[in-house]
Amino acid sequence: MKIYLIGFMGSGKSSVGKNLATSLGISFFDTDSYIEEYTEKAIPAIFADEGEEGFRHYESNALEQLSGIEAVVATGGGIIEKTRNKDIMDEDGIIVYLHTNFETISQRLQEDKNRPLWNQDLNKRKALYERRLPMYKQFSHYIVETDDKEVEDIIYEIEDVMKFS
């Protein structure tokens, strides 16, 4: 079983992913952490040195390296920027979109300085969010609304969906 969690930054993919993997008794991977370990660089440094396109290349490589492993994988918010990534995830598992509204994400990330695409003006952040929304929906097999829900409730909902997959 492989479950890919997609969604905008701050939607809870890592928190939900860790707890979901524990609940299911399988491994957990976070593509951002995986990339940082592989490159021995922090995400902001990768963006500074190689740009967003360089980072997206590492994301695709991470997905390929993790394919075939039973796990829950929390992906970066921009994983949907490449169709190749959808193909990799589609062939290897189930894609669950954690939908969170922009206001909730803004509250969660207000103090976060480690996200290069978030640390820009409000209009650019909002435009990025709105541009990605249809892509998340198109990429996913299932959508789980996360606003005003506890991690345990989100996990229960995902596990419930998995029973019928």
Side-chain angles (χ1 to χ4, degrees), residues 96-111:
V96 178
Y97 166 38
L98 300 183
H99 175 75
T100 309
N101 72 43
F102 187 78
E103 293 72 25
T104 300
I105 288 170
S106 293
Q107 290 171 356
R108 290 179 185 170
L109 299 182
Q110 63 186 337
E111 301 298 322

Side-chain angles (χ1 to χ4, degrees), residues 21-165:
T22 299
S23 176
L24 296 173
I26 60 178
S27 298
F28 170 74
F29 294 96
D30 180 298
T31 58
D32 286 353
S33 297
Y34 192 87
I35 291 165
E36 287 182 329
E37 288 177 32
Y38 173 78
T39 63
E40 298 181 349
K41 288 178 156 180
I43 301 297
I46 295 170
F47 268 78
D49 295 345
E50 301 180 48
E52 184 176 356
E53 186 58 33
F55 178 74
R56 299 291 168 223
H57 175 75
Y58 289 125
E59 276 185 324
S60 296
N61 287 344
L63 287 178
E64 288 175 350
Q65 291 172 15
L66 294 171
S67 66
I69 299 171
E70 185 175 57
V72 174
V73 178
T75 64
I79 200 90
I80 45 87
E81 298 285 347
K82 287 190 167 193
T83 305
R84 172 181 175 211
N85 294 339
K86 180 181 187 337
D87 296 339
I88 293 168
M89 292 187 290
D90 251 346
E91 291 173 11
D92 194 42
I94 295 166
I95 305 168
V96 178
Y97 166 38
L98 300 183
H99 175 75
T100 309
N101 72 43
F102 187 78
E103 293 72 25
T104 300
I105 288 170
S106 293
Q107 290 171 356
R108 290 179 185 170
L109 299 182
Q110 63 186 337
E111 301 298 322
D112 194 329
K113 303 295 181 216
N114 200 35
R115 298 176 191 261
L117 294 178
W118 183 256
N119 296 323
Q120 50 190 348
D121 74 56
L122 177 62
N123 290 333
K124 288 183 179 178
R125 289 187 296 224
K126 182 83 171 172
L128 180 65
Y129 176 85
E130 290 175 358
R131 183 176 61 80
R132 286 183 177 173
L133 274 180
M135 289 187 274
Y136 292 129
K137 292 175 182 175
Q138 179 187 358
F139 260 55
S140 65
H141 298 123
Y142 301 101
I143 299 172
V144 176
E145 300 289 334
T146 65
D147 290 305
D148 302 318
K149 290 183 183 173
E150 298 293 323
V151 169
E152 295 78 23
D153 297 327
I154 297 166
I155 291 168
Y156 176 78
E157 195 170 331
I158 294 170
E159 288 177 335
D160 197 43
V161 164
M162 301 310 300
K163 291 176 189 173
F164 302 103
S165 297

